[in-house]
Amino acid sequence: MSTAGQVIRCKAAVAWEAGKPLSIEEVEVAPPQKDEVRIKILFTALCHTDVYYWECKGYTPLFPRILGHEASGIVESVGEGVTDVKPGDHVLPIFTGECKECKHCLSEESNNMCDLLRINCDRGVMLADGKTRFSINGKPIYHFVGTSTFSQYTVVHIGQVAKINPTAPLDKVCPISCGICTGFGATVNVAKPKKGQTVAIFGLGAVGLAAAEGARICGASRIIAVDLNPRRFEEAKRFGITEFVNPKDYDKPVQEVIVEMTGGGVDRSVECTGSVQAMISAFECVHDGWGVCVLVGVPKKDDAFMTHPLNLLSERTLKGAFYGNYKPRTDIPMVVDKYLNKELGLDMDKFITHSVPFADINKAFDYMLQGIGLRCMIHLDA
C-alpha cells in the first residue's frame, strides 16, 4: 500500500537534551511539501559534527532534535515540483545543497556555497513553511542540517538529495555523503599535491584518513599524520600514512617539529580536527614559497585564527575546503560511479569499523567519544 501523502509513523533516535543518550521514539513524519523528498533511511553513520551539536559545547542548543546527516536510503515519495527523483530511487541525503539556480551554483569558481541550501546547523525547520516534518503527539521535533537521518523516514529538500546508481551497495557508499568526500576531496580537489611531494594530515578520524587516502592516490612521498591519540597510528598505516607525530611528545609547537622533520616544511597540509590551534599549526608547517594549507575542520563559533602576516607574505597559501569542493547533486553521483568502477582507488570497507542495529545507536556515540574506530554503520531496519 502506498504511503504517499500520508503521515508515516516510524522509529527515530531523538536527542531531548544536550549530552544525554538518544531515545528511540515513535515519531510522525509528515508528507513532503513543495520541493521536498521523503526518504526511507536504511543506513546512517555517526559523524563528529553530530556529536558536537549533541554536546552543545560552544554551539547554540536546539532540542528536541533528530540528528544525523551521513546516510543512504530510498525515495518513498516526493512533493510538488520534484522531478529529479521518484519513488524507488536510491539516494544520498547531503548536509549541504545545490539549488542549481543561485550565483554560487551557477559559478564555475564556487562549488558548494549554495545561497539557498548552504549548511545551517542552527535551523531546525524546513524552508518551505518554517515548520518541522517531525512530531511526537503533536509536539514538533527539530531537524538537523536539513537531513535528520537518525530516523527511519526523513524529509529533505530536493537540493540536498543526490540520486545514485541503484547497483551501489547503500551501506558501503553511505560515508560518501559526508566524511569520505569531505576529506578525500580536500586533498585531491583543493590541496592537489604533486607526485613526490610531502603532505601533513592533522587528525586521524574518518575525514583525516580520507584526506590521507587522497594524498596516497596523488603519489605523495611522505604522509605525516598529526594526532593526539596514539591508538590511531598503527591503523592509519593502511591509509598511506608513513610517519606519526603526537604533539604531546614534544615541548615545542608541532609546526616547528614538522618543519625540522622536512627541512623547511611540508608541501601540503590538510587540517581535519576543527581545533583552531591545529589549524594554525597546519598553516605554519607548510613550506614558504609554495606550501598550501587546506582547512577542513569546523571550529567553534567564537574561535579566531591568528598567525603573523609574514607567514602569508612568504607565499604560503591558506585555503578552506567545504565538502571536498564537490557539488552535491552534480558531482556525488559521479563519485559513486567512480567508486563502483574502481576509479577512485578507495576501499570503503577500511572506513567502516563497527556496525550496530538502530536500537544500539548510543554505542556509536560511545565508540566515537572513546576514539575507537572510524565509522560505525547504524542499520535502521535492524
Side-chain angles (χ1 to χ4, degrees):
M1 177 183 287
S2 172
T3 50
Q6 302 177 31
V7 171
I8 289 179
R9 289 176 173 79
C10 68
K11 288 185 171 57
V14 179
W16 290 99
E17 55 183 304
K20 300 296 183 182
L22 306 189
S23 175
I24 301 295
E25 308 278 359
E26 182 178 83
V27 300
E28 295 95 36
V29 185
Q33 301 302 303
K34 188 177 185 298
D35 294 329
E36 295 176 357
V37 180
R38 190 160 60 183
I39 303 169
K40 181 179 182 180
I41 299 295
L42 296 179
F43 300 96
T44 189
L46 182 67
C47 170
H48 275 100
T49 304
D50 297 308
V51 174
Y52 296 153
Y53 280 85
W54 167 71
E55 291 179 320
C56 276
K57 295 177 180 177
Y59 301 102
T60 304
L62 184 63
F63 297 100
R65 199 173 206 182
I66 296 174
L67 298 166
H69 63 278
E70 189 172 280
S72 56
I74 299 173
V75 174
E76 175 271 335
S77 61
V78 301
E80 176 191 345
V82 174
T83 57
D84 286 8
V85 300
K86 63 184 185 304
D89 283 344
H90 289 207
V91 295
L92 300 180
I94 311 291
F95 62 90
T96 192
E98 180 187 355
C99 72
K100 296 190 176 184
E101 296 176 355
C102 71
K103 183 184 294 185
H104 279 283
C105 287
L106 296 176
S107 170
E108 294 181 358
E109 299 188 56
S110 176
N111 272 5
N112 49 33
M113 294 283 105
C114 177
D115 290 335
L116 179 67
L117 299 168
R118 187 182 309 186
I119 184 173
N120 185 331
C121 297
D122 295 329
R123 186 179 65 235
V125 296
M126 299 300 289
L127 289 172
D129 56 7
K131 298 179 180 178
T132 71
R133 302 289 174 262
F134 299 110
S135 61
I136 297 179
N137 298 324
K139 177 181 175 61
I141 307 296
Y142 293 111
H143 296 249
F144 179 64
V145 296
T147 53
S148 292
T149 61
F150 292 169
S151 174
Q152 291 176 324
Y153 286 86
T154 189
V155 177
V156 181
H157 191 285
I158 181 57
Q160 293 180 244
V161 178
K163 178 183 175 182
I164 63 170
N165 191 320
T167 66
L170 290 175
D171 56 337
K172 298 293 191 295
V173 299
C174 168
I176 287 176
S177 67
C178 178
I180 301 305
C181 281
T182 297
F184 185 77
T187 302
V188 301
N189 295 335
V190 185
K192 298 180 180 177
K194 298 174 183 176
K195 187 174 182 179
Q197 288 191 321
T198 57
V199 179
I201 305 293
F202 284 71
L204 292 179
V207 174
L209 290 174
E213 283 277 78
R216 176 185 64 79
I217 290 166
C218 287
S221 60
R222 297 173 70 183
I223 307 175
I224 303 167
V226 182
D227 200 286
L228 297 172
N229 184 354
R231 288 184 297 182
R232 294 197 183 278
F233 289 171
E234 194 62 34
E235 178 185 50
K237 292 178 182 177
R238 299 193 298 133
F239 296 83
I241 297 296
T242 58
E243 297 156 74
F244 308 96
V245 176
N246 186 338
K248 292 190 291 188
D249 293 340
Y250 300 89
D251 57 4
K252 57 185 173 183
V254 71
Q255 55 265 47
E256 294 181 15
V257 175
I258 294 173
V259 168
E260 290 177 8
M261 287 174 62
T262 54
V266 293
D267 301 298
R268 303 287 187 267
S269 70
V270 184
E271 184 284 322
C272 305
T273 71
S275 159
V276 71
Q277 186 53 57
M279 294 177 182
I280 295 167
S281 298
F283 176 58
E284 294 182 353
C285 81
V286 300
H287 206 292
D288 58 3
W290 63 80
V292 177
C293 169
V294 179
L295 304 183
V296 177
V298 180
K300 291 181 179 178
K301 188 162 51 176
D302 297 327
D303 282 341
F305 182 97
M306 292 182 288
T307 191
H308 198 284
L310 280 175
N311 289 321
L312 288 161
L313 291 171
S314 300
E315 300 194 357
R316 295 175 179 87
T317 300
L318 179 64
K319 292 185 173 185
F322 185 62
Y323 194 43
N325 213 27
Y326 290 111
K327 285 184 182 289
R329 297 163 74 187
T330 300
D331 295 335
I332 297 310
M334 292 188 289
V335 172
V336 171
D337 285 342
K338 286 183 178 180
Y339 163 69
L340 291 174
N341 296 331
K342 303 189 186 309
E343 296 173 29
L344 282 183
L346 281 173
D347 179 2
M348 299 299 294
D349 287 331
K350 292 194 295 188
F351 291 92
I352 303 169
T353 54
H354 295 83
S355 180
V356 297
F358 194 25
D360 292 335
I361 188 171
N362 287 301
K363 287 185 179 179
F365 283 76
D366 293 339
Y367 294 144
M368 185 162 286
L369 291 171
Q370 294 169 31
I372 299 172
L374 297 175
R375 279 297 189 259
C376 178
M377 192 58 57
I378 301 159
H379 298 243
L380 276 80
D381 271 357

mmCIF file of all heavy atoms in Angstrom, residues 227-250:
data_model
loop_
_atom_site.group_PDB
_atom_site.id
_atom_site.type_symbol
_atom_site.label_atom_id
_atom_site.label_comp_id
_atom_site.label_asym_id
_atom_site.label_seq_id
_atom_site.Cartn_x
_atom_site.Cartn_y
_atom_site.Cartn_z
ATOM 1 N N ASP A 227 48.248 13.644 15.425
ATOM 2 C CA ASP A 227 47.063 13.295 16.219
ATOM 3 C C ASP A 227 47.479 13.104 17.668
ATOM 4 O O ASP A 227 48.625 12.734 17.952
ATOM 5 C CB ASP A 227 46.417 12.013 15.680
ATOM 6 C CG ASP A 227 44.961 11.863 16.113
ATOM 7 O OD1 ASP A 227 44.721 11.554 17.288
ATOM 8 O OD2 ASP A 227 44.073 12.068 15.267
ATOM 9 N N LEU A 228 46.527 13.357 18.566
ATOM 10 C CA LEU A 228 46.795 13.211 19.998
ATOM 11 C C LEU A 228 46.518 11.807 20.504
ATOM 12 O O LEU A 228 46.829 11.490 21.657
ATOM 13 C CB LEU A 228 45.930 14.205 20.791
ATOM 14 C CG LEU A 228 46.188 15.689 20.518
ATOM 15 C CD1 LEU A 228 45.126 16.542 21.209
ATOM 16 C CD2 LEU A 228 47.579 16.093 20.987
ATOM 17 N N ASN A 229 45.929 10.952 19.669
ATOM 18 C CA ASN A 229 45.540 9.599 20.071
ATOM 19 C C ASN A 229 46.488 8.581 19.444
ATOM 20 O O ASN A 229 46.352 8.230 18.276
ATOM 21 C CB ASN A 229 44.103 9.328 19.628
ATOM 22 C CG ASN A 229 43.595 7.967 20.096
ATOM 23 O OD1 ASN A 229 44.347 7.169 20.653
ATOM 24 N ND2 ASN A 229 42.313 7.701 19.864
ATOM 25 N N PRO A 230 47.471 8.072 20.199
ATOM 26 C CA PRO A 230 48.447 7.132 19.630
ATOM 27 C C PRO A 230 47.827 5.813 19.179
ATOM 28 O O PRO A 230 48.426 5.097 18.371
ATOM 29 C CB PRO A 230 49.442 6.914 20.784
ATOM 30 C CG PRO A 230 48.687 7.273 22.021
ATOM 31 C CD PRO A 230 47.733 8.352 21.628
ATOM 32 N N ARG A 231 46.605 5.511 19.652
ATOM 33 C CA ARG A 231 45.957 4.271 19.222
ATOM 34 C C ARG A 231 45.606 4.298 17.741
ATOM 35 O O ARG A 231 45.394 3.248 17.129
ATOM 36 C CB ARG A 231 44.685 4.029 20.046
ATOM 37 C CG ARG A 231 44.941 3.614 21.480
ATOM 38 C CD ARG A 231 43.654 3.300 22.211
ATOM 39 N NE ARG A 231 42.778 4.467 22.309
ATOM 40 C CZ ARG A 231 41.608 4.469 22.945
ATOM 41 N NH1 ARG A 231 41.173 3.350 23.507
ATOM 42 N NH2 ARG A 231 40.867 5.558 23.009
ATOM 43 N N ARG A 232 45.529 5.480 17.177
ATOM 44 C CA ARG A 232 45.165 5.594 15.768
ATOM 45 C C ARG A 232 46.343 5.364 14.820
ATOM 46 O O ARG A 232 46.149 5.134 13.626
ATOM 47 C CB ARG A 232 44.586 6.984 15.488
ATOM 48 C CG ARG A 232 43.257 7.269 16.170
ATOM 49 C CD ARG A 232 42.583 8.464 15.524
ATOM 50 N NE ARG A 232 41.339 8.841 16.158
ATOM 51 C CZ ARG A 232 40.162 8.264 15.920
ATOM 52 N NH1 ARG A 232 40.110 7.256 15.066
ATOM 53 N NH2 ARG A 232 39.073 8.675 16.527
ATOM 54 N N PHE A 233 47.551 5.449 15.326
ATOM 55 C CA PHE A 233 48.714 5.464 14.454
ATOM 56 C C PHE A 233 48.878 4.173 13.643
ATOM 57 O O PHE A 233 49.120 4.209 12.443
ATOM 58 C CB PHE A 233 49.985 5.738 15.272
ATOM 59 C CG PHE A 233 50.066 7.150 15.787
ATOM 60 C CD1 PHE A 233 51.053 7.521 16.692
ATOM 61 C CD2 PHE A 233 49.158 8.115 15.367
ATOM 62 C CE1 PHE A 233 51.125 8.830 17.171
ATOM 63 C CE2 PHE A 233 49.221 9.422 15.844
ATOM 64 C CZ PHE A 233 50.210 9.770 16.748
ATOM 65 N N GLU A 234 48.788 3.036 14.311
ATOM 66 C CA GLU A 234 49.010 1.770 13.604
ATOM 67 C C GLU A 234 47.960 1.554 12.516
ATOM 68 O O GLU A 234 48.288 1.154 11.386
ATOM 69 C CB GLU A 234 48.993 0.602 14.606
ATOM 70 C CG GLU A 234 49.533 -0.708 14.043
ATOM 71 C CD GLU A 234 50.993 -0.611 13.622
ATOM 72 O OE1 GLU A 234 51.767 0.124 14.264
ATOM 73 O OE2 GLU A 234 51.350 -1.270 12.623
ATOM 74 N N GLU A 235 46.725 1.808 12.857
ATOM 75 C CA GLU A 235 45.634 1.646 11.891
ATOM 76 C C GLU A 235 45.818 2.566 10.683
ATOM 77 O O GLU A 235 45.509 2.202 9.547
ATOM 78 C CB GLU A 235 44.310 1.951 12.584
ATOM 79 C CG GLU A 235 43.091 1.880 11.685
ATOM 80 C CD GLU A 235 41.819 2.306 12.412
ATOM 81 O OE1 GLU A 235 41.810 3.367 13.043
ATOM 82 O OE2 GLU A 235 40.845 1.542 12.335
ATOM 83 N N ALA A 236 46.366 3.759 10.927
ATOM 84 C CA ALA A 236 46.488 4.750 9.863
ATOM 85 C C ALA A 236 47.468 4.340 8.767
ATOM 86 O O ALA A 236 47.405 4.865 7.653
ATOM 87 C CB ALA A 236 46.903 6.094 10.454
ATOM 88 N N LYS A 237 48.356 3.417 9.050
ATOM 89 C CA LYS A 237 49.299 2.962 8.025
ATOM 90 C C LYS A 237 48.567 2.361 6.828
ATOM 91 O O LYS A 237 49.058 2.422 5.705
ATOM 92 C CB LYS A 237 50.263 1.934 8.617
ATOM 93 C CG LYS A 237 51.222 2.500 9.645
ATOM 94 C CD LYS A 237 52.113 1.410 10.211
ATOM 95 C CE LYS A 237 53.048 1.956 11.282
ATOM 96 N NZ LYS A 237 53.884 0.882 11.890
ATOM 97 N N ARG A 238 47.403 1.788 7.087
ATOM 98 C CA ARG A 238 46.633 1.182 5.992
ATOM 99 C C ARG A 238 46.089 2.237 5.030
ATOM 100 O O ARG A 238 45.637 1.909 3.931
ATOM 101 C CB ARG A 238 45.459 0.359 6.556
ATOM 102 C CG ARG A 238 45.874 -0.794 7.448
ATOM 103 C CD ARG A 238 44.713 -1.723 7.708
ATOM 104 N NE ARG A 238 43.616 -1.068 8.398
ATOM 105 C CZ ARG A 238 42.339 -1.160 8.037
ATOM 106 N NH1 ARG A 238 41.997 -1.852 6.955
ATOM 107 N NH2 ARG A 238 41.403 -0.547 8.740
ATOM 108 N N PHE A 239 46.136 3.502 5.435
ATOM 109 C CA PHE A 239 45.611 4.590 4.619
ATOM 110 C C PHE A 239 46.727 5.416 3.980
ATOM 111 O O PHE A 239 46.494 6.498 3.468
ATOM 112 C CB PHE A 239 44.710 5.486 5.466
ATOM 113 C CG PHE A 239 43.483 4.780 5.979
ATOM 114 C CD1 PHE A 239 43.536 4.007 7.132
ATOM 115 C CD2 PHE A 239 42.268 4.889 5.306
ATOM 116 C CE1 PHE A 239 42.402 3.357 7.614
ATOM 117 C CE2 PHE A 239 41.138 4.242 5.782
ATOM 118 C CZ PHE A 239 41.202 3.475 6.926
ATOM 119 N N GLY A 240 47.947 4.905 4.039
ATOM 120 C CA GLY A 240 49.063 5.574 3.380
ATOM 121 C C GLY A 240 49.934 6.419 4.273
ATOM 122 O O GLY A 240 50.929 6.990 3.821
ATOM 123 N N ILE A 241 49.594 6.539 5.569
ATOM 124 C CA ILE A 241 50.399 7.331 6.492
ATOM 125 C C ILE A 241 51.784 6.691 6.627
ATOM 126 O O ILE A 241 51.909 5.485 6.827
ATOM 127 C CB ILE A 241 49.725 7.426 7.867
ATOM 128 C CG1 ILE A 241 48.368 8.147 7.771
ATOM 129 C CG2 ILE A 241 50.643 8.116 8.869
ATOM 130 C CD1 ILE A 241 48.445 9.590 7.344
ATOM 131 N N THR A 242 52.820 7.523 6.522
ATOM 132 C CA THR A 242 54.187 6.998 6.615
ATOM 133 C C THR A 242 54.873 7.364 7.927
ATOM 134 O O THR A 242 55.792 6.661 8.367
ATOM 135 C CB THR A 242 55.043 7.529 5.447
ATOM 136 O OG1 THR A 242 55.054 8.963 5.472
ATOM 137 C CG2 THR A 242 54.484 7.057 4.111
ATOM 138 N N GLU A 243 54.455 8.479 8.554
ATOM 139 C CA GLU A 243 55.087 8.922 9.797
ATOM 140 C C GLU A 243 54.029 9.517 10.726
ATOM 141 O O GLU A 243 52.988 9.986 10.265
ATOM 142 C CB GLU A 243 56.158 9.979 9.499
ATOM 143 C CG GLU A 243 57.302 9.453 8.641
ATOM 144 C CD GLU A 243 58.002 10.562 7.898
ATOM 145 O OE1 GLU A 243 58.752 11.322 8.549
ATOM 146 O OE2 GLU A 243 57.810 10.686 6.664
ATOM 147 N N PHE A 244 54.340 9.509 12.022
ATOM 148 C CA PHE A 244 53.369 9.956 13.013
ATOM 149 C C PHE A 244 53.999 10.944 13.978
ATOM 150 O O PHE A 244 55.131 10.756 14.419
ATOM 151 C CB PHE A 244 52.820 8.762 13.789
ATOM 152 C CG PHE A 244 52.293 7.669 12.919
ATOM 153 C CD1 PHE A 244 53.092 6.580 12.594
ATOM 154 C CD2 PHE A 244 51.020 7.734 12.398
ATOM 155 C CE1 PHE A 244 52.615 5.576 11.778
ATOM 156 C CE2 PHE A 244 50.539 6.737 11.580
ATOM 157 C CZ PHE A 244 51.340 5.651 11.270
ATOM 158 N N VAL A 245 53.221 11.965 14.303
ATOM 159 C CA VAL A 245 53.668 12.960 15.276
ATOM 160 C C VAL A 245 52.540 13.184 16.272
ATOM 161 O O VAL A 245 51.415 13.515 15.893
ATOM 162 C CB VAL A 245 54.025 14.301 14.595
ATOM 163 C CG1 VAL A 245 54.392 15.344 15.648
ATOM 164 C CG2 VAL A 245 55.162 14.118 13.605
ATOM 165 N N ASN A 246 52.868 12.993 17.555
ATOM 166 C CA ASN A 246 51.932 13.294 18.627
ATOM 167 C C ASN A 246 52.418 14.571 19.314
ATOM 168 O O ASN A 246 53.481 14.573 19.942
ATOM 169 C CB ASN A 246 51.872 12.149 19.632
ATOM 170 C CG ASN A 246 50.795 12.352 20.687
ATOM 171 O OD1 ASN A 246 50.367 13.477 20.944
ATOM 172 N ND2 ASN A 246 50.362 11.265 21.299
ATOM 173 N N PRO A 247 51.677 15.677 19.191
ATOM 174 C CA PRO A 247 52.142 16.941 19.786
ATOM 175 C C PRO A 247 52.472 16.847 21.266
ATOM 176 O O PRO A 247 53.309 17.605 21.771
ATOM 177 C CB PRO A 247 50.959 17.885 19.539
ATOM 178 C CG PRO A 247 50.287 17.318 18.318
ATOM 179 C CD PRO A 247 50.419 15.833 18.457
ATOM 180 N N LYS A 248 51.839 15.905 21.974
ATOM 181 C CA LYS A 248 52.086 15.768 23.404
ATOM 182 C C LYS A 248 53.492 15.245 23.707
ATOM 183 O O LYS A 248 53.960 15.330 24.854
ATOM 184 C CB LYS A 248 51.032 14.841 24.030
ATOM 185 C CG LYS A 248 49.634 15.427 24.040
ATOM 186 C CD LYS A 248 48.665 14.614 24.875
ATOM 187 C CE LYS A 248 48.350 13.267 24.264
ATOM 188 N NZ LYS A 248 47.266 12.552 24.988
ATOM 189 N N ASP A 249 54.169 14.696 22.687
ATOM 190 C CA ASP A 249 55.510 14.144 22.894
ATOM 191 C C ASP A 249 56.610 15.193 22.790
ATOM 192 O O ASP A 249 57.790 14.870 22.949
ATOM 193 C CB ASP A 249 55.784 13.042 21.861
ATOM 194 C CG ASP A 249 54.897 11.822 22.057
ATOM 195 O OD1 ASP A 249 54.360 11.655 23.173
ATOM 196 O OD2 ASP A 249 54.734 11.047 21.092
ATOM 197 N N TYR A 250 56.247 16.444 22.535
ATOM 198 C CA TYR A 250 57.250 17.485 22.307
ATOM 199 C C TYR A 250 56.981 18.696 23.203
ATOM 200 O O TYR A 250 55.847 18.961 23.598
ATOM 201 C CB TYR A 250 57.242 17.932 20.840
ATOM 202 C CG TYR A 250 57.542 16.799 19.877
ATOM 203 C CD1 TYR A 250 56.515 16.003 19.376
ATOM 204 C CD2 TYR A 250 58.845 16.512 19.496
ATOM 205 C CE1 TYR A 250 56.781 14.953 18.518
ATOM 206 C CE2 TYR A 250 59.125 15.460 18.632
ATOM 207 C CZ TYR A 250 58.098 14.686 18.146
ATOM 208 O OH TYR A 250 58.369 13.641 17.292
#
